[in-house]
Amino acid sequence: MRGGCATTFINVSSHPVGQESEYHYEYTACDSTGSRWRVAVPHTPGLCTSLPDPVKGTECSFSCRAGEFLDMKDQSCKPCAEGRYSLGTGIRFDEWDELPHGFASLSTNMEIEDSTTESMENCTASKWVPLGDYISSNTDECTATLMYAVNLKQSGTVNFEYYYPDSSIIFEFFVQNDQCQPNVDDSRWMKTTEKGWEFHSVELNRGNNVLYWRTTAFSVGSKVSKPVLVRNIAITGVAYTSECFPCKPGTYADKQGSSFCELCPANSYSNKGETSCHPCDPDKYSEKGSSSCKVRPACTDKDYFYTHTACDANGETQLMYKWAQPKICGEDLEGAVKLPASGVKTRCPPCNPGFFKTNNSTCEPCPYGSYSNGSDCSHCPAGTEPAVGFEYKWWNTLPSNMETTVLSGINFEYKGMTGWEVAGDHIYTAVGASDNDFMILTLVVPGFRPPQSVMADTENKEVARITFVFETICSVNCELYFMVGVNSRTNTPVETWKGSKGKQSYTYIIEENATMSFTWAFQRTTFHETGRKYTNDVAKIYSINVTNVMDGVASYCRPCALEASDMGSSCTSCPAGFYIDRDSGTCHSCPPNTILKAHQPYGIQACIPCGPGTKSNKIHSLCYNDCTFSIGTPTRVLDYNFLALANTVSLAGGPSFTSKGLKYFHHFTLSLCGNQGKKMSVCADNVTDLRIPEGESGFSKSITAYVCQAVIIPPEVTGYKAGVSSQPVSLADRLIGVTTDMTLDGITSPAELFHPESLGIPDVIFFYRSNDVTQSCSFGRSTTIRVRCSPLKPAPGSLSLPSTCSDGTCDGCNFHFLWESLAACPLCSPADYHAIVSSCVAGIQKTTYVWREPKLCVGGISLPEQRVTICKTIDFWLKVGISAGTCTAILLTVLTCYFWKKNQKLEYKYSKLVMNATLKDCDLPAADSCAIMEGEDVEDDLIFTSKKSLFGKIKSFTSKRTPDGFDSVPLKTSSGGPDMDL
């Protein structure tokens, strides 16, 4: 098809008219009045003779209806012939074996700040790829753009079908006009599809329009995004349609005036422009919309499956074998297997718990107030109530609130087939049309009835939980997806298992009381090829258990609180934070600083003590820390107040790069102690919400926690105002405790991960756990925040990650942070200051109090005021000292003289006594007189008047004492003989 073009020179010739096969008609460009001319244009350039004369053309706004074309010879609309179709004023692109003429596929690296040749080359292959019936987007972090430029003669539309299952890709469709300005349209940002293909239509203005389909994936790490698929692009308002288009192979139009072609049914085919489809030969087959038939292979054991019939009146079920649909194999070919005989009867399995078996062997739910183990219903005893839910562990028929289907892995359309089959004690994936089909099983729960204490809790939002036991048996790259949808919103993948997995259970906690859908999808292989090679690869689900279901059934009765009334006693709910005494049925409050197991509130043992450094809230639903802490050491008690650290803070790890060179960060948001137990950190997934202007709120997948992590691609990389935040993960949902110990409740904060503490103040460690249990983290994730006193870092201080693990974790499950701040120092106490006493000046002495250096405390008590006391000066005390010394010297001198005189007298008397005794013993003549004659000197005749010092006398006096106690004194005899010792 060609568009009109301006003709400046029109040859009006009188030569004979040439053959119609030598030329065709076109319109000139429209003039300012909206009119145009029809001219003949030769097929061979330069042939300017024998052409019809120009004639007045139709109005520029003229167009034919869908199913018609404009016959340029007489300028009238005529219906399309059989086997052909038209859009009237439009064109359609429904064959994608190659990129149609006029389309362009571009790829760019998102890193707008670094447009190096290398980064551009990384994205060369990241383009939209034609895949037959549709065109597929890229799945990496490059930006791939599909473009088509069109000139509209009148206002029109563009519509297309798209399949957009993965929210980790941004998918936008927009239109630019002549001035390269995009049309203002809220539909620019596409919404993810819920049920297969969806239809999208946008109005186009007259004139030039450039259509853009643009995708960018924001899935970093091991996760691979699912591509966006687009097909059946139709544009109206292009201009007149001068011819109809033939139906593409695999389709047909059996009547005139068709605006589209029908698909050929299965086991038939058609060529291009056919008016009907041709049946395949008996030994061949084809799928719906095929252009050829394929040879049927011989049937094998991969082409059939088994199932069980519903129980009959005798309580028996039959084992039935069925061919997998569509049946493409031949039973009569050489080596083909036959369908095994059906009809073997076995006893029906019992009903599921909470159901009872009727007379015709069907299972019906027990009425409320009763329970069963799958046989007969029994009323709950007094003082108990039914624990309502759903527990499916016997699979004779598919429960009424479950459905199954198959999503084609080739064209992503839903098929009217059964994806899962019941098999007694399990349900398993049936055989699909192809190994890459998605076998889908969905359970819908209308709502929940959690205990009243759960409803009063605003933080621990466990409304209910679903637990299922499954197994996968695979020989290639099979995948089992578990997805959750809320209030009919898009199913969000929660967990994926790849390859064979042994029999195991998985539990998902439901945090919102809403209509929930739970979906299991199994794909045998992701290879884009048809056929059944791996039908023995299966997924099995043995049991599904959902608790607290509205209008559910009960397999047992649990104790309840009793309320007295005129009709007797009846069950009632205990207030939040109260447990039920099993014996009396009365409600009792949990002790202080304990939390109640709300789903099993029976007995005092249901009250669980809080961890160290924490206390419980009023309704005993959670333990929290009020940003204070106290710890005793051998020398003092350290008190802390972390209120200056209470606000949420953010921290980004080092930059990481994908294989394409895209820069991203692991971004952490932390709230140390929350707000009375209310978690404050929020991490969001805004990939599909970048269209929302700043300041406006919109729905986005976000999580709230003590600590959370998201992958951030900054605005300077993406070009978007807000940047991109994706893959939010909760790292801390519960505060376990606060302590200075390195280990608590199985969580360890290794000191060697960070530089050592050097001030002698112990680190205070906050321990947290998350609720999410994954394959790699079987006990959930844990987080420790090590709070360290750092006087040089004023609040809020600085956060750091382990130097050896730049993403905060060394194993992917346990995360560690160091928070250094002045606000992490203990409160000041009297032990943190000392006194300085000044000298006495003018009778005044001052005592000043100063902090010890370095100061290792904050807040707390203030320094005492300076103290002033009255004192005596040094001059006064000097005088007092001199006076006292003088008096003491005089006194000592007087005493010395006194005792010396006394000693002289004693010596004299003693000597006389000794001399008398000696004379008596020797019979000496008696003295004529003892008196001293005149002129005699007393000291001349004394024996002891030898010249000796005072100390010598004392020495002699003390050393001459005899053993009998008397002193020995040397004396001279009158004869002058030798001395005699007496």
Side-chain angles (χ1 to χ4, degrees):
M1 183 192 73
R2 294 183 183 178
C5 61
T7 305
T8 307
F9 300 101
I10 302 176
N11 181 26
V12 180
S13 174
S14 59
H15 290 282
V17 177
Q19 299 294 323
E20 290 187 7
S21 61
E22 296 178 354
Y23 61 87
H24 63 275
Y25 292 109
E26 287 185 6
Y27 281 124
T28 64
C30 295
D31 57 24
S32 58
T33 63
S35 60
R36 57 187 173 181
W37 292 81
R38 188 202 70 177
V39 296
V41 179
H43 295 313
T44 305
L47 179 64
C48 294
T49 59
S50 305
L51 296 178
D53 295 333
V55 298
K56 185 77 171 178
T58 59
E59 294 295 322
C60 288
S61 60
F62 176 82
S63 62
C64 296
R65 294 192 299 263
E68 297 178 340
F69 72 100
L70 179 63
D71 187 344
M72 294 292 286
K73 185 174 183 179
D74 56 11
Q75 299 192 74
S76 63
C77 294
K78 294 183 179 179
C80 292
E82 297 174 353
R84 304 176 76 84
Y85 76 99
S86 85
L87 301 178
T89 63
I91 50 178
R92 183 194 303 271
F93 302 96
D94 51 10
E95 295 183 64
W96 298 95
D97 296 315
E98 60 182 6
L99 203 62
H101 178 71
F103 279 87
S105 180
L106 307 176
S107 61
T108 57
N109 191 303
M110 187 195 304
E111 189 96 22
I112 61 176
E113 63 180 15
D114 181 16
S115 56
T116 61
T117 304
E118 181 181 357
S119 63
M120 293 297 292
E121 290 177 353
N122 284 341
C123 290
T124 302
S126 300
K127 298 183 178 181
W128 288 77
V129 181
L131 293 175
D133 291 331
Y134 50 79
I135 185 168
S136 173
S137 77
N138 65 321
T139 57
D140 55 27
E141 60 274 18
C142 299
T143 297
T145 304
L146 181 67
M147 297 172 52
Y148 184 75
V150 63
N151 182 277
L152 298 189
K153 302 301 181 183
Q154 60 187 15
S155 298
T157 59
V158 56
N159 52 67
F160 57 90
E161 293 178 85
Y162 70 99
Y163 178 69
Y164 177 22
D166 195 335
S167 62
S168 66
I169 290 183
I170 288 183
F171 176 33
E172 50 183 326
F173 171 74
F174 60 96
V175 182
Q176 287 186 346
N177 56 20
D178 286 331
Q179 288 75 38
C180 292
Q181 297 295 320
N183 292 351
V184 179
D185 194 342
D186 291 338
S187 60
R188 169 175 179 153
W189 305 92
M190 309 300 290
K191 297 180 180 178
T192 52
T193 54
E194 174 70 22
K195 297 287 186 182
W197 293 87
E198 291 193 8
F199 183 82
H200 186 68
S201 179
V202 174
E203 293 185 358
L204 301 177
N205 296 325
R206 179 181 173 181
N208 290 322
N209 292 267
V210 184
L211 315 180
Y212 294 89
W213 293 264
R214 180 175 292 168
T215 54
T216 306
F218 290 99
S219 178
V220 297
S222 60
K223 183 176 180 290
V224 178
S225 301
K226 291 181 169 54
V228 176
L229 310 179
V230 173
R231 69 180 183 185
N232 293 341
I233 300 175
I235 304 171
T236 64
V238 174
Y240 57 90
T241 301
S242 59
E243 61 179 339
C244 295
F245 303 101
C247 293
K248 70 174 185 177
T251 65
Y252 70 98
D254 58 356
K255 51 188 176 183
Q256 290 185 344
S258 295
S259 60
F260 62 93
C261 300
E262 301 276 358
L263 291 174
C264 287
N267 296 320
S268 66
Y269 72 98
S270 72
N271 297 313
K272 189 173 185 177
E274 293 275 12
T275 60
S276 62
C277 298
H278 311 291
C280 294
D281 295 335
D283 61 340
K284 295 183 178 181
Y285 76 98
S286 71
E287 297 178 356
K288 187 177 181 180
S290 296
S291 59
S292 62
C293 297
K294 301 176 183 178
V295 177
R296 290 184 183 273
C299 290
T300 67
D301 57 359
K302 295 179 172 60
D303 292 302
Y304 63 83
F305 63 95
Y306 64 93
T307 185
H308 291 78
T309 64
C311 292
D312 57 21
N314 297 324
E316 294 180 325
T317 179
Q318 295 187 46
L319 179 65
M320 302 293 293
Y321 290 93
K322 297 181 180 180
W323 291 113
Q325 297 299 320
K327 184 184 176 187
I328 61 174
C329 65
E331 300 178 63
D332 303 325
L333 300 176
E334 183 179 355
V337 301
K338 298 294 184 181
L339 192 68
S342 300
V344 176
K345 290 188 176 183
T346 57
R347 294 294 301 171
C348 277
C351 294
N352 280 307
F355 290 80
F356 70 97
K357 190 162 290 188
T358 62
N359 293 332
N360 57 2
S361 295
T362 61
C363 294
E364 295 290 338
C366 291
Y368 183 79
S370 58
Y371 69 100
S372 83
N373 59 1
S375 54
D376 297 325
C377 298
S378 304
H379 284 287
C380 288
T384 64
E385 62 182 353
V388 293
F390 286 132
E391 184 179 358
Y392 301 122
K393 62 180 183 179
W394 299 110
W395 304 91
N396 179 246
T397 58
L398 196 66
S400 59
N401 58 349
M402 298 183 76
E403 59 182 21
T404 177
T405 185
V406 176
L407 174 67
S408 170
I410 299 173
N411 59 19
F412 297 94
E413 291 183 341
Y414 284 90
K415 303 177 180 180
M417 297 170 56
T418 299
W420 294 68
E421 290 287 347
V422 295
D425 64 346
H426 67 274
I427 184 172
Y428 75 103
T429 49
V431 178
S434 179
D435 284 336
N436 57 6
D437 288 349
F438 291 90
M439 320 306 288
I440 295 176
L441 177 68
T442 301
L443 166 65
V444 178
V445 177
F448 301 91
R449 289 182 54 186
Q452 182 178 341
S453 57
V454 173
M455 298 303 293
D457 187 1
T458 59
E459 287 302 305
N460 293 332
K461 301 176 181 178
E462 183 179 332
V463 172
R465 57 176 58 194
I466 177 172
T467 302
F468 57 92
V469 178
F470 71 97
E471 178 184 22
T472 57
I473 303 172
C474 302
S475 58
V476 285
N477 57 338
C478 71
E479 293 185 350
L480 174 64
Y481 302 89
F482 175 61
M483 298 173 286
V484 177
V486 182
N487 290 335
S488 300
R489 286 204 297 264
T490 304
N491 279 336
T492 302
V494 172
E495 188 60 274
T496 304
W497 295 270
K498 296 182 180 181
S500 293
K501 298 293 179 184
K503 191 174 181 180
Q504 59 187 275
S505 68
Y506 177 80
T507 297
Y508 174 76
I509 295 176
I510 302 156
E511 296 183 343
E512 186 174 353
N513 193 354
T515 299
M516 306 286 287
S517 64
F518 305 100
T519 301
W520 295 264
F522 180 73
Q523 187 181 32
R524 289 181 168 87
T525 177
T526 56
F527 298 144
H528 189 79
E529 58 185 31
T530 59
R532 299 179 183 134
K533 296 181 181 178
Y534 311 111
T535 55
N536 290 334
D537 294 2
V538 296
K540 298 180 180 181
I541 295 178
Y542 293 91
S543 65
I544 302 174
N545 189 357
V546 190
T547 64
N548 298 336
V549 176
M550 182 186 302
D551 300 326
V553 295
S555 60
Y556 68 96
C557 296
R558 60 190 176 198
C560 67
L562 298 178
E563 181 181 44
S565 64
D566 297 338
M567 304 294 293
S569 59
S570 60
C571 279
T572 186
S573 297
C574 283
F578 283 67
Y579 67 89
I580 301 171
D581 186 283
R582 287 181 179 272
D583 299 327
S584 62
T586 55
C587 299
H588 300 275
S589 176
C590 277
N593 297 330
T594 61
I595 55 174
L596 177 67
K597 290 193 296 185
H599 294 276
Q600 294 289 332
Y602 310 118
I604 187 67
Q605 62 271 19
C607 302
I608 305 171
C610 288
T614 65
K615 57 185 177 182
S616 65
N617 59 356
K618 292 182 179 178
I619 60 174
H620 296 275
S621 62
L622 57 85
C623 299
Y624 72 96
N625 176 272
D626 58 1
C627 286
T628 62
F629 181 68
S630 181
I631 184 72
T633 67
T635 57
R636 58 181 290 195
V637 174
L638 299 176
D639 295 313
Y640 295 84
N641 188 321
F642 301 122
L643 285 174
L645 309 179
N647 294 330
T648 57
V649 293
S650 297
L651 170 67
S656 301
F657 297 88
T658 65
S659 59
K660 304 294 184 182
L662 176 67
K663 180 171 68 175
Y664 66 94
F665 299 88
H666 284 108
H667 189 266
F668 302 94
T669 306
L670 299 87
S671 59
L672 185 67
C673 40
N675 180 10
Q676 298 291 308
K678 181 178 177 61
K679 298 184 283 286
M680 305 292 288
S681 299
V682 178
C683 295
D685 182 344
N686 69 349
V687 170
T688 55
D689 287 332
L690 292 178
R691 62 185 180 275
I692 299 175
E694 288 184 295
E696 297 184 17
S697 61
F699 170 76
S700 64
K701 292 179 291 184
S702 64
I703 59 172
T704 303
Y706 281 105
V707 183
C708 59
Q709 175 195 16
V711 173
I712 297 290
I713 303 173
E716 65 269 17
V717 175
T718 65
Y720 298 108
K721 286 183 180 180
V724 174
S725 173
S726 66
Q727 304 177 39
V729 175
S730 171
L731 305 181
D733 292 311
R734 305 187 314 275
L735 177 61
I736 303 300
V738 184
T739 179
T740 55
D741 296 333
M742 287 198 301
T743 301
L744 179 65
D745 193 34
I747 308 171
T748 300
S749 173
E752 61 271 13
L753 290 179
F754 302 101
H755 60 86
E757 186 278 323
S758 60
L759 299 177
I761 302 295
D763 293 342
V764 179
I765 308 174
F766 286 68
F767 292 84
Y768 309 86
R769 282 196 188 278
S770 74
N771 295 328
D772 297 333
V773 175
T774 63
Q775 296 179 67
S776 55
C777 305
S778 56
F779 296 101
R781 299 180 182 89
S782 68
T783 298
T784 67
I785 302 178
R786 185 179 284 265
V787 183
R788 177 174 295 174
C789 173
S790 181
L792 300 180
K793 296 181 179 180
S798 65
L799 274 166
S800 59
L801 299 170
S803 57
T804 55
C805 311
S806 59
D807 290 331
T809 177
C810 300
D811 57 9
C813 298
N814 302 293
F815 291 77
H816 307 284
F817 303 90
L818 173 64
W819 195 337
E820 297 175 282
S821 173
L822 171 63
C825 295
L827 297 178
C828 294
S829 68
D832 293 301
Y833 62 80
H834 63 93
I836 298 178
V837 181
S838 68
S839 60
C840 188
V841 179
I844 296 176
Q845 189 175 53
K846 297 179 180 180
T847 303
T848 305
Y849 298 91
V850 295
W851 297 114
R852 299 184 186 276
E853 292 296 337
K855 183 184 176 185
L856 302 179
C857 65
V858 64
I861 65 171
S862 302
L863 283 175
E865 295 290 335
Q866 188 181 62
R867 192 157 55 91
V868 178
T869 57
I870 299 175
C871 62
K872 301 296 184 180
T873 63
I874 187 128
D875 294 341
F876 171 82
W877 290 114
L878 184 60
K879 293 176 182 177
V880 171
I882 293 173
S883 301
T886 302
C887 294
T888 304
I890 294 173
L891 179 62
L892 289 175
T893 302
V894 172
L895 290 175
T896 301
C897 294
Y898 169 78
F899 284 114
W900 180 80
K901 196 70 178 174
K902 189 87 172 174
N903 185 55
Q904 291 283 36
K905 292 180 179 180
L906 289 175
E907 286 182 352
Y908 172 75
K909 291 179 180 180
Y910 185 68
S911 298
K912 282 291 192 180
L913 181 62
V914 171
M915 291 175 63
N916 291 336
T918 303
L919 293 174
K920 184 179 180 180
D921 292 338
C922 295
D923 296 325
L924 294 176
D928 295 335
S929 174
C930 288
I932 299 175
M933 300 301 292
E934 184 180 354
E936 290 183 327
D937 190 352
V938 176
E939 296 180 358
D940 290 344
D941 295 330
L942 289 178
I943 301 304
F944 54 83
T945 56
S946 60
K947 302 297 183 179
K948 289 186 180 179
S949 66
L950 175 64
F951 293 103
K953 295 176 181 179
I954 294 174
K955 183 177 180 183
S956 299
F957 182 76
T958 55
S959 60
K960 297 297 181 176
R961 186 178 294 267
T962 59
D964 58 0
F966 294 99
D967 291 334
S968 176
V969 179
L971 298 176
K972 289 184 178 180
T973 62
S974 58
S975 61
D979 295 342
M980 298 176 62
D981 289 334
L982 297 178

